[in-house]
Each structure stands twice: as structure tokens, then as C-alpha cells.
Amino acid sequence: MRRIGVIGLGNMGRGMALSLRRGGFEVIGYDPAPAARAALEADGITVADAPASLWRDCDAVVLSLPTPEVVEAVLLGADGPLQGAKPDLLIVDTSTSHPDVTRRIAAALEPAGLALIDAPVSGGPKGAHAATLTMVLGGSDAAVARAEPVLAAMSATRVHVGAVGAGHVTKLANNLLCAAHLITAAEAVRMARDAGVEPARLLAGINAGSGRSGVTQVNFPTWVLNGAFDSGFTMKLMRKDVRLAGALIAALDLDLPLSAQAARLWRDSTGIPDDADFNAIVKLQLA
């Protein structure tokens, strides 16, 4: 692994590209948005005019894209890697996507000798820039082993959870829990506040007990109680992830009532704009 491509140069993709360069790789980026390309060029990283050169010239290509539909269009479209990719190209999809889409794409790429790993990330733009992301990985043992130097340059924690698609199942489960925990933690804070317990002291007590979660330990002290609401992850992105989790539950024909209620509350939170920080969902309970 020497030359790595990055497709999708938003807050996350740009940070990962910079981390890969610091890790000693030659990096080539691509994004259809001129502003995103210009920002990476200003950082001194080569930017291609089209994805074809990344498929052809890179040893691995990292994707950081907004939706499953975009991932499928990039990988199986007319300009995708099936049109003349370098033999044995490794593709690492760090997007949060639907596992069925991921498995369908992997099956289409496999006859051409192209391996796909789903490696959705947690840690936000700061984690992408600092290479402190957490990744949950879906893919064959051989592909994950090949990808390790690339993944290590972008992340601090990596957990291989199963075959292709397993990473996206795990990430949807994680984000569904986070979405629900924000609501339940806000309700607990509201209850305690109205009963005369100051929120910061309440959370100190909860975090010493069995009710603690990443939301009570990180989100509330870092972005909620201080009014910062600047995690870098938006309501639009979390709404999308909750919808994807709901679609997976429906496809599995499961009756999960608490998950359904959390999804409904996120769906109905129309008073909070898409571009607001995702932690702003707590304002519905704390108002």
C-alpha cells in the first residue's frame, strides 16, 4: 500500500486524507464539489478531476460519502471501479450505509477481483483530523489484514465484527442506541432538574452507576450542558442513520417498540433544523 485515494472530501474525508498523508501515504483526492477539491489542494494534496484515475492508479480507495445511494452510484455507476480499476484494488467504505447495499456492491465487485471493506467511523471531524476515529469493520480476514496500515493511519480503535456488511449493521445499532440515549438521558435530566437536582451533579452520580452511557459521559458534558452544540455531526446525518436502522429492522420483520418510539421522536423533531448539531434533540425534553 503506497498510494491511497479518497473520494468524498467533506469534513470527514478531508480529515482522513490529511491523516493518511501524515501516515506516510501518497494521497489523491476527488470530490464533485469544486470548493471541497480546492480546500484539499490548499492543503497540498493532489486532487483528481475524475474518480477514474483513483481506481486506476491507487492501491486502495477510501470512501466518505453521505448516503447508500451515493455509495452505490460511485461504485457501480458508469465511472466506477468496474471500468478499468487497478487489479486487486482495495475499497474501504467509511460511510454509514445500509448493509444490504454494501453486500450487493461487494458481490458485484468480487468477480473483478476487487475487495470491499465496510468501515464506518465514529469520532466526528475532530477524530478524522487527529486520526483518533473508531472503526467497526466488515470484510474478509484477508481484506481487513491488507487494509490494516491504511486503517491504522486514520483511526485509534478498530474492531472487526464480521463479514462484509457487518460493519454497517454494527454502526446502525450503535447510532440507534446513541439516538435513543440522547432522548432518555434528556428525560432523566429533566426529571431530576424539576425535582431539585442540578444536572451536572446528577450526571456525576449517573456516571458512577449502572445508568451511564457514552451520552452521559461525553455528549452531555462536552456539547449539551455548556450549550456548545458543536460536535460536527448534524441532525440531518443522525436522522438519516436512524432511518437506515428503521429500514433494517423492517426488512428483518422485527417488532422493536422502543426503537420504533425513538425513531418516531427523531422523525417528528421537525422544529430542529437539519443543519443543527445532533445533540440538539435534547432541547425537546429540556425546554
Side-chain angles (χ1 to χ4, degrees):
M1 294 289 173
R2 182 175 63 87
R3 183 181 292 121
I4 310 301
V6 179
I7 296 179
L9 305 176
N11 288 335
M12 296 297 294
R14 180 182 173 214
M16 287 187 277
L18 294 171
S19 292
L20 285 164
R21 182 176 65 179
R22 287 198 310 274
F25 295 100
E26 180 185 347
V27 181
I28 303 174
Y30 172 75
D31 194 291
R37 294 198 302 270
L40 198 65
E41 283 185 313
D43 292 324
I45 291 180
T46 301
V47 176
D49 294 328
S53 61
L54 276 68
W55 309 131
R56 183 183 64 245
D57 299 332
C58 293
D59 302 304
V61 174
V62 176
L63 307 181
S64 180
L65 300 171
T67 67
E69 293 78 14
V70 174
V71 172
E72 187 163 23
V74 167
L75 291 180
L76 299 185
D79 297 323
L82 291 174
Q83 317 304 320
K86 183 176 183 177
D88 297 324
L89 176 71
L90 179 64
I91 300 169
V92 179
D93 181 17
T94 69
S95 319
T96 299
S97 188
H98 194 292
D100 289 347
V101 174
T102 304
R103 291 164 179 149
R104 182 167 64 248
I105 294 170
L109 296 177
E110 185 177 13
L114 308 178
L116 175 66
I117 292 173
D118 48 311
V121 299
S122 297
K126 291 180 182 178
H129 282 265
T132 56
L133 294 169
T134 294
M135 292 180 161
V136 284
L137 310 174
S140 69
D141 291 343
V144 171
R146 277 183 63 205
E148 172 58 20
V150 178
L151 304 177
M154 300 186 290
S155 63
T157 303
R158 296 167 295 285
V159 182
H160 186 191
V161 293
V164 169
H168 282 140
V169 171
T170 304
K171 181 62 188 303
L172 292 182
N174 178 85
N175 281 20
L176 178 60
L177 283 171
C178 182
H181 289 169
L182 279 165
I183 294 168
T184 55
E187 290 183 353
V189 169
R190 174 65 181 272
M191 177 191 71
R193 186 188 70 188
D194 288 5
V197 179
E198 194 249 335
R201 291 188 173 187
L202 168 77
L203 290 173
I206 288 173
N207 289 335
S210 60
R212 66 187 180 274
S213 69
V215 164
T216 62
Q217 292 178 312
V218 178
N219 296 53
F220 264 76
T222 306
W223 299 301
V224 176
L225 294 186
N226 59 7
F229 293 103
D230 61 353
S231 71
F233 192 69
T234 65
M235 288 289 295
K236 181 178 181 178
L237 289 172
M238 184 55 99
R239 283 171 173 141
K240 181 261 294 183
D241 292 352
V242 172
R243 285 196 301 271
L244 287 174
L248 179 58
I249 290 168
L252 295 169
D253 196 25
L254 296 174
D255 179 20
L256 304 180
L258 291 180
S259 296
Q261 176 71 345
R264 184 188 67 78
L265 290 170
W266 276 86
R267 184 182 67 243
D268 293 347
S269 61
T270 53
I272 303 174
D274 272 350
D275 61 357
D277 187 85
F278 83 109
N279 291 286
I281 191 73
V282 305
K283 293 179 180 180
L284 298 179
Q285 285 73 37
L286 297 180

